[in-house]
């Protein structure tokens, strides 16, 4: 598992507009899977993808708000938007 190479490729793809790559970067940084955990950086990648219509990123932002910030109202807003996206 070559995480540094994957991050390099995902970063390039994200810069070219891939929302799935942006989501993947968020996931790897948020969880620290093969890289030093950096939750704020992970959230940033999910925010970037969510603003462009990535439903899974929007869902994860809702989960973060619910589980970590206790902001249930914002969590529900994220989840409703995610559900409407499909």
């Amino acid at each position: 598992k070559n995480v540094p190479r994957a991050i390099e490729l995902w970063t390039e793809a994200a810069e070219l507009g891939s929302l799935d790559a942006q989501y993947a970067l968020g996931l790897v940084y948020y969880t620290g899977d093969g890289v030093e955990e950096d939750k704020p950086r992970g959230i940033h990648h999910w925010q970037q993808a969510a603003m462009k219509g990535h439903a899974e990123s929007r869902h994860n932002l809702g989960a973060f708000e619910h589980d970590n910030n206790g902001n249930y109202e914002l969590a529900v807003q994220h989840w409703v938007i995610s559900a409407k996206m499909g």
Side-chain angles (χ1 to χ4, degrees):
K1 191 172 177 179
N2 190 343
V3 175
R5 179 70 176 142
I7 289 173
E8 182 181 321
L9 293 172
W10 285 329
T11 299
E12 186 176 329
E15 289 170 357
L16 293 171
S18 170
L19 300 183
D20 287 335
Q22 195 77 266
Y23 170 79
L25 285 167
L27 196 59
V28 76
Y29 283 116
Y30 188 85
T31 62
D33 184 18
V35 66
E36 187 174 340
E37 183 181 290
D38 188 344
K39 289 190 186 305
R41 191 170 184 179
I43 294 294
H44 171 76
H45 284 291
W46 287 339
Q47 288 170 333
Q48 294 300 306
M51 287 189 291
K52 294 176 183 165
H54 194 267
E56 288 175 276
S57 292
R58 181 69 71 172
H59 173 83
N60 284 4
L61 290 172
F64 173 77
E65 289 298 336
H66 180 273
D67 297 343
N68 296 293
N69 290 344
N71 192 338
Y72 305 124
E73 187 174 322
L74 183 55
V76 170
Q77 288 175 4
H78 281 303
W79 288 333
V80 168
I81 292 169
S82 175
K84 287 180 180 179
M85 289 178 181

